[in-house]
Amino acid sequence: MLHFQRWKLILVLGIVIAGVFIALPNLFSASTVAQWPRWVPHKQVSLGLDLQGGAHLLYQLDEKEMVEDWLNNIRSDVRETLRKSRIGYTDLSQNLPGRSVSVRIRQPGDTEKAFTELKKLALPVGSDVFGGFSGTDLEVTRQGDDVVTLAVTEVGLSQRMDSAIQASIETIRRRVDAFGTTEPSIQREGRNRVLVQVPGIQDVERLKKLIGETGKLEFRMVDATADGAQVAASKQVPPGTELLYSTDTPPVPYVIKDQTLVSGENLVDAQPGFDQRTGEPVVTFRFDALGAKRFARATQDNVGLPFAIVLDNKVVSAPVIREPILGGTGQISGNFSVQEANDLSVLLRSGALPAKLTIIEERTVGASLGADSIASGKIAALLGLLMVAIFMFAGYGLFGFFANIAVLVNIVLIFAVLSLLGATLTLPGIAGIVLVIGIAVDANVLINERIREEIRSGKSPFASVEAGYTRALTTIIDSNVTTLISTLVLFWLGSGPVRGFAITLTIGIITSMFTAITMTRLMVTYWLRWTRPAFVPI
């Protein structure tokens, strides 16, 4: 029996020492920890937005723009399908409010064939309870003898929105990662919103600009036969073109052809750099195989003509093609600063957003406010710990002192686990730790009251302690498991502050089971063996 207890003592001491070792970096600043030897743990608990300060931004996806882009793609698909099927048409239009595209067939006799071919554009979406598809993204119908209409369905729009939100989250995450901040939180809110929380960021305006840019890059030809200034003055844009303005000050008007030669989807890399001739900051880019082939063909066919590099419907630059560019690489120049070149490269590498994002809620938490929250949390935790310690020592004497040691170790283990998991500590998380301080001694109160009952029944100190721990164990496990279930539900269904509270409370409950039962029992057992008391001071 004694050999078993020594083995258990070694195990408990090993866990406690490891916990102290892992939690130790949290007592020092990041700069101090960085100077420690490599074999010493360096991982610290990440502080949330409310403790570290930072930006809270709620974005809404522009559903109208997303639907408009989708209808444009449908028009292109309809045009290509009818061309391949050799079916003539006289009118191809889209109805944005009705979310539909209509095409009028030139020969009424070809309407049935066109209807059959265009129905193939409708793709199955969704899933039912049996694992099949619940519908299609387009509803294709005939209107009269010569019109076929393709309308967006609700299930198709819902799936397209889900895909757009997920793509937006991934794109935003790649852009935010460029800031090097720790633990950014990017998650969906409702049908068409994305919540972005970035702790510790200093330049919020730069973050907003980088996230808010759609990042839609296009390489298009400039209409050399039209004068941009004259077209801007007359407002008469030639067919097949549109009037766009440059990013210069003042903006320069350009008449840009509608056809996109190469898009940003074909980019595989973009990096900031410097022009070898002028020394100005530029962005170098590289296409994939398909993009390089298209770019080479476009530059071969248009030598001596200007082409525009268009980003989010603004002309970044419009150089003249001096010679064919066959290597699939190039550079973008536009009187950039070093930071602007770096931000543009991040924007291009991260990919384009599926639609425009608009800020509908913005909150900035200052670093000083976060420091005040940390100070208040420390005071609350220390005050709670002090009051619990006084109550336990006054009520149970030496056994209360053992329980107080266990509570201290429990707090150390909570921070050790948070450090290992890379979890984020928030203000509600601190509230969870304060609550754990009270919950942790509940088990010891039950055990000590059981021991008192056994002593009153006339049992010896050894038998009283053994019976007290044994009989209280079932009740302690039941109460902690029920609390653990509720906190896991909070973590599963909650978000943001609720999850922060649930994480620390869950970890605290699990570690308190170890400290309040195993650790205090070991301390009491060795105290009994060393002192052999005639009565238990409880």
Side-chain angles (χ1 to χ4, degrees), residues 485-507:
I485 290 172
S486 64
T487 56
L488 290 175
V489 171
L490 281 177
F491 180 79
W492 178 38
L493 298 179
S495 62
V498 176
R499 278 198 166 190
F501 176 79
I503 288 174
T504 54
L505 189 56
T506 300
I507 295 172

Side-chain angles (χ1 to χ4, degrees), residues 25-267:
N26 294 293
L27 297 176
F28 301 90
S29 65
S31 58
T32 302
V33 173
Q35 298 174 3
W36 290 0
R38 290 186 178 181
W39 56 270
V40 179
H42 286 64
K43 206 168 186 181
Q44 295 177 301
V45 175
S46 300
L47 299 180
L49 184 69
D50 48 2
L51 298 180
Q52 191 179 166
H56 169 107
L57 304 171
L58 183 61
Y59 286 91
Q60 180 169 297
L61 191 72
D62 191 335
E63 185 173 330
K64 180 180 177 181
E65 180 181 332
M66 185 195 72
V67 172
E68 187 174 4
D69 287 344
W70 190 7
L71 293 179
N72 288 332
N73 292 335
I74 293 173
R75 286 184 63 190
S76 298
D77 292 341
V78 169
R79 188 182 296 110
E80 183 67 16
T81 299
L82 295 180
R83 185 186 65 80
K84 288 183 178 179
S85 301
R86 299 181 181 277
I87 299 174
Y89 60 91
T90 58
D91 183 46
L92 178 59
S93 61
Q94 67 185 47
N95 179 7
L96 184 58
R99 301 200 300 252
S100 63
V101 171
S102 298
V103 58
R104 185 177 299 276
I105 307 303
R106 179 177 289 111
Q107 299 293 335
D110 292 335
T111 305
E112 182 62 32
K113 182 181 178 182
F115 175 73
T116 303
E117 292 298 324
L118 294 178
K119 279 192 71 173
K120 297 177 183 178
L121 297 179
L123 301 176
V125 294
S127 59
D128 55 27
V129 294
F130 302 105
F133 295 106
S134 59
T136 58
D137 60 347
L138 298 176
E139 182 181 5
V140 184
T141 58
R142 293 180 57 174
Q143 307 289 331
D145 295 333
D146 57 354
V147 176
V148 179
T149 300
L150 297 87
V152 174
T153 63
E154 284 299 326
V155 64
L157 180 61
S158 178
Q159 189 198 50
R160 181 62 65 110
M161 179 62 71
D162 290 343
S163 300
I165 288 292
Q166 188 59 41
S168 298
I169 290 175
E170 293 172 359
T171 301
I172 291 172
R173 187 175 301 280
R174 288 193 291 267
R175 294 180 182 181
V176 172
D177 286 345
F179 283 84
T181 58
T182 57
E183 298 297 327
S185 173
I186 305 168
Q187 56 189 5
R188 181 174 184 172
E189 291 280 330
R191 169 182 167 85
N192 59 350
R193 296 177 180 179
V194 178
L195 176 62
V196 181
Q197 292 181 320
V198 186
I201 191 167
Q202 303 297 324
D203 194 345
V204 179
E205 290 302 319
R206 183 186 172 203
L207 174 69
K208 288 162 54 179
K209 182 180 179 182
L210 197 58
I211 293 178
E213 296 284 352
T214 305
K216 185 178 181 181
L217 181 69
E218 297 172 308
F219 293 83
R220 295 157 62 178
M221 295 303 300
V222 176
D223 188 349
T225 62
D227 184 270
Q230 293 181 357
V231 172
S234 64
K235 304 296 183 181
Q236 296 180 352
V237 182
T241 65
E242 64 176 323
L243 184 66
L244 299 179
Y245 289 85
S246 71
T247 56
D248 300 321
T249 304
V252 178
Y254 288 93
V255 180
I256 308 298
K257 294 184 179 180
D258 290 339
Q259 183 185 7
T260 300
L261 303 177
V262 192
S263 71
E265 295 177 357
N266 299 113
L267 279 180

Side-chain angles (χ1 to χ4, degrees), residues 7-18:
W7 173 83
K8 185 180 288 188
L9 175 64
I10 294 172
L11 178 62
V12 171
L13 286 176
I15 293 175
V16 173
I17 292 172

Side-chain angles (χ1 to χ4, degrees), residues 203-462:
D203 194 345
V204 179
E205 290 302 319
R206 183 186 172 203
L207 174 69
K208 288 162 54 179
K209 182 180 179 182
L210 197 58
I211 293 178
E213 296 284 352
T214 305
K216 185 178 181 181
L217 181 69
E218 297 172 308
F219 293 83
R220 295 157 62 178
M221 295 303 300
V222 176
D223 188 349
T225 62
D227 184 270
Q230 293 181 357
V231 172
S234 64
K235 304 296 183 181
Q236 296 180 352
V237 182
T241 65
E242 64 176 323
L243 184 66
L244 299 179
Y245 289 85
S246 71
T247 56
D248 300 321
T249 304
V252 178
Y254 288 93
V255 180
I256 308 298
K257 294 184 179 180
D258 290 339
Q259 183 185 7
T260 300
L261 303 177
V262 192
S263 71
E265 295 177 357
N266 299 113
L267 279 180
V268 293
D269 191 25
Q271 296 292 338
F274 294 91
D275 189 281
Q276 294 181 354
R277 293 175 300 173
T278 64
E280 295 180 349
V282 296
V283 175
T284 60
F285 60 85
R286 179 165 56 89
F287 289 116
D288 58 15
L290 179 60
K293 184 177 179 181
R294 290 177 176 175
F295 195 59
R297 184 168 60 248
T299 53
Q300 280 180 326
D301 296 342
N302 296 281
V303 173
L305 297 176
F307 79 104
I309 302 174
V310 181
L311 180 66
D312 294 339
N313 288 329
K314 292 182 179 179
V315 179
V316 178
S317 63
V320 175
I321 303 174
R322 302 297 182 186
E323 58 185 12
I325 304 174
L326 307 177
T329 61
Q331 69 178 35
I332 302 173
S333 59
N335 297 322
F336 302 128
S337 66
V338 174
Q339 180 174 302
E340 288 173 341
N342 184 65
D343 288 349
L344 179 57
S345 65
V346 170
L347 203 66
L348 298 181
R349 284 198 308 271
S350 63
L353 291 169
K356 183 181 179 181
L357 290 174
T358 305
I359 297 178
I360 59 174
E361 181 183 330
E362 176 184 353
R363 293 201 304 269
T364 302
V365 180
S368 58
L369 183 59
D372 292 342
S373 300
I374 294 175
S376 300
K378 285 181 179 179
I379 293 173
L382 291 174
L383 187 59
L385 181 62
L386 179 62
M387 295 180 68
V388 168
I390 292 173
F391 171 81
M392 291 300 294
F393 189 73
Y396 301 104
L398 181 62
F399 279 55
F401 177 71
F402 291 151
N404 291 336
I405 294 176
V407 171
L408 289 173
V409 173
N410 188 35
I411 296 173
V412 171
L413 292 180
I414 290 174
F415 277 92
V417 175
L418 288 173
S419 299
L420 283 175
L421 296 178
T424 301
L425 181 64
T426 60
L427 194 59
I430 293 179
I433 293 175
V434 175
L435 181 59
V436 165
I437 292 174
I439 293 176
V441 297
D442 284 348
N444 295 109
V445 170
L446 287 172
I447 292 169
N448 292 340
E449 290 299 329
R450 283 284 188 180
I451 292 174
R452 280 178 172 174
E453 291 178 5
E454 298 300 328
I455 291 174
R456 293 191 191 103
S457 66
K459 290 185 178 181
S460 66
F462 275 92

